[in-house]
């Protein structure tokens, strides 16, 4: 069984089979259960891309603030900063979501210099991209303010 089958697909199935337009504690609990399994199985940074792809498939879903998945992938940030930023930039560049824009803001707040400028420019471009869902643009605008 692959990481996607074991950890990511159950989350995607839950999203597809439930109305997550309101705060859903069952979804947050499921995320905690999945994260607990990943930690027990010593899943590492390699699953980060799969988590971003899950978020991209469900652009308006609230994964928490920040949520169990965010805490899980961010624990690898210090040792994989450049790789994490690359995955994040690719994700928000191709298919920004409410949650990945939020993750982008967290990285912007923790960086300085050229990378902060580059990531802020990405945020500005998301806020102005009329092809994106209005909610995603508004999230980006709010972070820029």
């Amino acid at each position: 069984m692959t990481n996607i089958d074991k950890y990511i697909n159950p989350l995607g199935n839950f999203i597809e089979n439930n109305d997550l337009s309101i705060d859903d504690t069952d979804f947050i609990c499921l995320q905690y259960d999945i994260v607990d399994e990943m930690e027990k199985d010593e899943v590492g940074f390699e699953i980060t891309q799969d988590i971003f792809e899950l978020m991209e498939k469900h652009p308006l879903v609230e994964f928490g603030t920040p949520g169990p998945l965010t805490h899980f992938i961010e624990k690898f940030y210090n040792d994989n900063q450049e790789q994490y930023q690359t995955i994040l930039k690719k994700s928000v560049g191709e298919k920004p979501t409410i949650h990945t824009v939020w993750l982008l803001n967290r990285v912007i707040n923790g960086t300085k210099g050229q990378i902060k400028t580059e990531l802020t420019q990405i945020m500005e471009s998301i806020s102005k991209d009329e092809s994106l869902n209005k909610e995603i643009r508004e999230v980006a605008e709010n972070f820029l303010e």
Side-chain angles (χ1 to χ4, degrees), residues 2 86 100 130:
T2 68
T86 299
T100 58
E130 293 290 324

Side-chain angles (χ1 to χ4, degrees):
M1 180 176 285
T2 68
N3 283 346
I4 291 174
D5 293 331
K6 187 170 183 180
Y7 310 115
I8 304 299
N9 288 346
L11 293 167
N13 292 338
F14 187 92
I15 293 167
E16 291 166 11
N17 293 315
N18 292 279
D19 176 14
L20 298 179
S21 60
I22 57 172
D23 181 33
D24 193 311
T25 55
D26 289 339
F27 182 54
I28 296 297
C29 288
L30 176 61
Q31 289 180 68
Y32 276 113
D33 291 344
I34 296 286
V35 166
D36 287 346
E37 283 185 50
M38 288 191 294
E39 288 173 341
K40 181 182 74 132
D41 294 343
E42 298 180 355
V43 173
F45 181 77
E46 71 277 358
I47 200 154
T48 301
Q49 179 70 44
D50 298 321
I51 292 172
F52 275 96
E53 288 173 6
L54 172 70
M55 292 173 183
E56 290 169 8
K57 288 178 186 171
H58 307 283
L60 301 179
V61 168
E62 171 61 57
F63 284 87
T65 51
L69 291 177
T70 296
H71 284 300
F72 181 78
I73 61 176
E74 285 184 339
K75 74 180 183 178
F76 303 112
Y77 184 73
N78 286 335
D79 293 334
N80 302 280
Q81 209 170 64
E82 191 174 312
Q83 292 168 301
Y84 182 91
Q85 289 173 3
T86 299
I87 293 169
L88 178 61
K89 287 188 290 187
K90 180 180 183 287
S91 179
V92 295
E94 293 176 1
K95 190 167 183 189
T97 72
I98 287 176
H99 204 74
T100 58
V101 168
W102 193 78
L103 292 171
L104 177 64
N105 187 63
R106 285 171 66 88
V107 173
I108 289 170
N109 289 339
T111 57
K112 298 176 183 162
Q114 177 59 34
I115 190 66
K116 184 174 188 131
T117 301
E118 178 185 351
L119 297 176
T120 301
Q121 288 171 342
I122 293 170
M123 185 73 80
E124 288 171 355
S125 122
I126 292 167
S127 73
K128 296 173 184 170
D129 187 343
E130 293 290 324
S131 70
L132 297 175
N133 181 287
K134 181 181 176 187
E135 290 178 58
I136 296 169
R137 289 193 320 268
E138 287 175 352
V139 168
E141 288 170 16
N142 288 337
F143 285 133
L144 289 168
E145 292 173 2

